[in-house]
């Protein structure tokens, strides 16, 4: 798949299942789902419930991935002034 190409989520079940379980809806089959460039498996799109979402599946060891998520959350909080 090319970066930015439409994606049907066929091979992206973990984030898809999480979005569905948490009430955000499904990205599967949605026309605006995109895969932006990056080192992880990311998707951006509008779910079938109308929610705009960014889903990320981190690659690598769980401990390193958890540290990267903490870093991202901290950066987001700084930007939001929280």
């Amino acid at each position: 798949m090319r970066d930015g190409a439409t994606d049907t989520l066929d091979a992206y079940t973990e984030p898809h299942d999480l979005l569905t379980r948490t009430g955000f809806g499904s990205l599967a089959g949605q026309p605006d789902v995109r895969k932006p460039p990056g080192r992880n498996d990311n998707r951006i799109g509008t779910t079938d419930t109308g929610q705009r979402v960014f889903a990320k599946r981190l690659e690598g060891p769980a401990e390193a991935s958890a540290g990267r998520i903490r870093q991202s959350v901290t950066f987001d909080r700084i930007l939001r002034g929280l």
Side-chain angles (χ1 to χ4, degrees), residues 6-65:
T6 299
D7 181 15
T8 61
L9 285 183
D10 293 337
Y12 200 61
T13 59
E14 291 168 348
H16 169 73
D17 292 345
L18 178 64
L19 289 170
T20 302
R21 279 195 325 269
T22 55
F24 286 97
S26 173
L27 282 173
Q30 298 302 309
D32 70 337
V33 177
R34 299 282 184 255
K35 181 182 189 233
R39 70 177 168 196
N40 298 297
D41 198 1
N42 305 314
R43 298 296 185 281
I44 297 172
T46 305
T47 66
D48 58 358
T49 63
Q51 297 288 318
R52 292 281 301 153
V53 296
F54 171 80
K56 175 185 288 277
R57 179 175 31 188
L58 296 175
E59 303 294 335
E63 190 173 302
S65 296

